[in-house]
């Protein structure tokens, strides 16, 4: 069994981007520029956004943090998005979710211009991804692809079972794994809450991508000997022994499943750090589309 | 075994649209308007475009046929597209493929504005389809969905195997079949040229959608008793007994496979007529998005 080290791989990606940014700036061009919009005082959101801004600083991106009070109206927030859409020296931006309940998240997200949508959530970017055109790709499936590429995991002709059909993970991961690319060409089965015989389907999988948000859902008797297991789950479960009072648990029963695997991602330290790096990769795509 | 009658179903769809158009016009609004651009003198293309224009007349759409010589330049054709994009009283248009070799088809197709893209090929429409948002959907998978709906075929929790991953049929069909809708919720496996054990995978299918363009590819020993088989193939094979010199053959070995099926589409008269009707349904979607 080989543990896939998402933290080390994400560090490597950041170093590669930092190198590229250094060359860009040395050539006289301006650095790539990311903005993040943070609404309200949600603890998780503040942590995530700060991490993103800190990543930018580390690799030489310019970054802008825009904080708005939780009582901002939808129209006011749309005006912020519109301003960022127009801002010429800004390559991409995110609006950190969740938003306060009085704001329609879909409306805000869809207002972000496709060429600045570094989350890859815009329908045009999603369509380009699905059709195999160059574009920004949702960060989690992008991170999974990078792990597969960098660990040299064979996918062509393999049976890949994706558990969970969310628009930001399961569905795009299933599409990418089936495409005619170096990290694709798998025979992909997309499973979900209505799937019957999930256990049998998983037992036939060479690669399992678990993305349902149910801690420990994938058990030892669902995984065949030698399978590759990618665990996207990151559910907070109570843990009195931790200072924070919780720990992260994946969708896979790691202790029981991992001995059977050829490769497996741990939680934390697997897909999570790669998702964070995916945003930076997408900003580079946005920047390159504009300049290079 | 029940034969799925695509011709009759397509007729029914046309009658429903004709009824809706009649009401629209009676209410004082203008009729929906489709344009078709035909480049050169390709026999197949002329037949297809004439059929589309004839459909429009039959159901009360306004239609415009724009014919251009085969030696039109790419820039000139782009200018035609741009003019149609701008034309206010035009709801949607198609550029009939294939185009002459000196013209980049992808460039032309991508120049069609998303809200007039009644083929559903524009990345933004493809993304909206994949994300479950209302939009124009590629005509063949749309036709398949309609057949499933109108024949009351159960899909929820069923295993659907799609053979072929083209951007206009296999891939969108696989996405639609897995979505949380009345005609979706299937567990979908998308197979293609790199797939191993295709026979075993097909044998586990409750629903097979064959879209590879290889006549008679799906054999009796690949289909389980009681399966639903949707045959998208329409390959011309030589047939000296026909006046035309050819006949259409599907991807399924119909004579051997059909006795095992609960439902099966014939070729011709199955998915083909539904594809033709799908264009008309998409024009109604474009019209409604604008006016209703």
């Amino acid at each position: 069994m080989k543990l896939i080290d998402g933290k080390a791989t994400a560090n490597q990606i950041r170093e590669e981007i930092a190198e590229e940014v250094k060359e860009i700036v040395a050539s006289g061009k301006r650095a790539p520029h990311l903005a993040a919009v943070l609404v309200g005082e949600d603890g998780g959101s503040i942590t995530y956004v700060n991490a993103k801004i800190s990543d930018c600083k580390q690799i030489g991106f310019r970054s802008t943090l825009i904080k708005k009070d939780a009582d901002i109206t939808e129209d006011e927030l749309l005006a912020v998005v519109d301003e960022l859409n127009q801002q010429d020296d800004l390559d991409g931006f995110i609006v950190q979710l969740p938003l306060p309940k009085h704001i329609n998240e879909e409306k805000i997200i869809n207002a972000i211009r496709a060429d600045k949508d570094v989350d890859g959530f815009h329908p045009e970017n999603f369509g380009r991804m699905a059709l195999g055109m160059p574009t920004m790709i949702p960060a989690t499936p992008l991170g999974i692809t990078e792990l597969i590429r960098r660990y040299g995991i064979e996918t062509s002709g393999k049976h890949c079972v994706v558990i969970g059909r969310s628009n930001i993970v399961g569905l795009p991961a299933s599409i990418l794994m089936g495409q005619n690319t170096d990290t694709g060409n798998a025979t992909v089965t997309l499973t979900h809450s209505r799937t019957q015989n999930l256990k049998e389907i998983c037992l036939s999988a060479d690669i399992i991508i678990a993305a349902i948000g149910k801690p420990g859902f994938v058990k030892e008797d669902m995984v065949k000997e030698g399978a590759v297991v990618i665990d996207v789950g990151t559910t907070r479960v109570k843990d009195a022994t931790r200072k924070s009072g919780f720990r992260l648990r994946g969708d896979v029963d790691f202790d029981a499943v991992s001995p059977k695997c050829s490769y497996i991602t741990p939680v934390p330290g697997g897909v999570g750090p790669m998702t964070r790096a995916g945003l930076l990769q997408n900003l580079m795509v946005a920047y390159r589309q504009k300049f290079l």
Side-chain angles (χ1 to χ4, degrees), chain A:
Chain A
M1 186 272 288
K2 198 170 159 117
L3 207 61
I4 295 178
D5 189 339
K7 206 171 162 184
T9 309
N11 278 335
Q12 197 187 325
I13 290 171
R14 272 190 292 271
E15 280 168 26
E16 290 165 10
I17 298 178
E19 199 55 43
E20 189 178 347
V21 172
K22 209 183 282 178
E23 286 169 23
I24 286 171
V25 172
S27 78
K29 294 199 186 73
R30 71 162 175 77
H33 179 192
L34 178 81
V37 180
L38 176 63
V39 178
E41 300 285 340
D42 178 80
S45 293
I46 293 174
T47 308
Y48 291 134
V49 166
N50 284 340
K52 289 167 186 175
I53 297 289
S54 145
D55 283 347
C56 287
K57 294 201 167 126
Q58 189 200 325
I59 63 175
F61 284 175
R62 201 180 136 200
S63 61
T64 303
L65 174 55
I66 298 160
K67 285 186 184 176
K68 295 289 173 185
D69 290 337
D71 63 356
I72 188 172
T73 67
E74 192 175 279
D75 280 346
E76 286 166 344
L77 189 54
L78 282 171
V80 172
V81 168
D82 192 46
E83 203 175 309
L84 297 174
N85 280 338
Q86 306 298 333
Q87 194 178 321
D88 256 352
D89 69 346
L90 181 68
D91 304 299
F93 64 101
I94 57 149
V95 178
Q96 181 66 43
L97 303 182
L99 294 171
K101 284 198 172 43
H102 66 280
I103 294 177
N104 182 340
E105 285 187 354
E106 197 182 306
K107 203 168 166 184
I108 301 296
I109 294 306
N110 288 338
I112 299 174
R113 221 171 63 185
D115 61 340
K116 294 193 173 182
D117 162 45
V118 282
D119 272 331
F121 295 160
H122 190 288
E124 182 163 347
N125 289 329
F126 201 92
R128 293 179 61 91
M129 179 277 295
L131 295 169
M133 302 161 77
T135 189
M136 278 80 82
I137 291 172
T140 302
L142 175 59
I144 294 170
T145 304
E146 285 290 341
L147 289 176
I148 286 170
R149 182 194 329 276
R150 288 162 189 261
Y151 276 83
I153 292 167
E154 182 62 66
T155 54
S156 180
K158 302 297 179 188
H159 187 204
C160 173
V161 172
V162 178
I163 312 176
R165 57 177 163 179
S166 75
N167 284 346
I168 60 172
V169 185
L171 175 64
S174 75
I175 293 171
L176 290 168
M177 293 302 296
Q179 283 178 340
N180 187 5
T181 62
D182 287 348
T183 55
N185 276 321
T187 301
V188 182
T189 301
L190 180 58
T191 68
H192 45 77
S193 55
R194 309 297 177 90
T195 293
Q196 294 159 5
N197 310 320
L198 181 63
K199 184 177 154 183
E200 284 68 32
I201 295 171
C202 286
L203 273 173
S204 76
D206 304 302
I207 303 167
I208 293 177
I209 299 176
I212 37 169
K214 289 186 182 169
F217 180 85
V218 176
K219 307 271 186 242
E220 183 267 339
D221 64 355
M222 296 167 70
V223 179
K224 93 173 161 193
E225 201 66 45
V228 175
V229 174
I230 309 286
D231 188 349
V232 180
T234 50
T235 309
R236 289 182 173 194
V237 296
K238 276 186 187 164
D239 184 343
T241 71
R242 305 283 175 106
K243 209 170 60 181
S244 61
F246 70 87
R247 63 189 174 96
L248 291 183
R249 268 204 78 194
D251 289 347
V252 178
D253 183 0
F254 186 88
D255 292 342
V257 168
S258 56
K260 299 182 89 173
C261 297
S262 57
Y263 291 89
I264 186 168
T265 62
V267 175
V271 174
M274 295 299 292
T275 297
R276 202 168 133 186
L279 175 70
L280 309 171
Q281 293 178 283
N282 278 334
L283 192 79
M284 284 310 299
V285 172
Y287 183 88
R288 286 190 213 107
Q289 280 182 354
K290 217 162 149 182
F291 288 111
L292 309 181

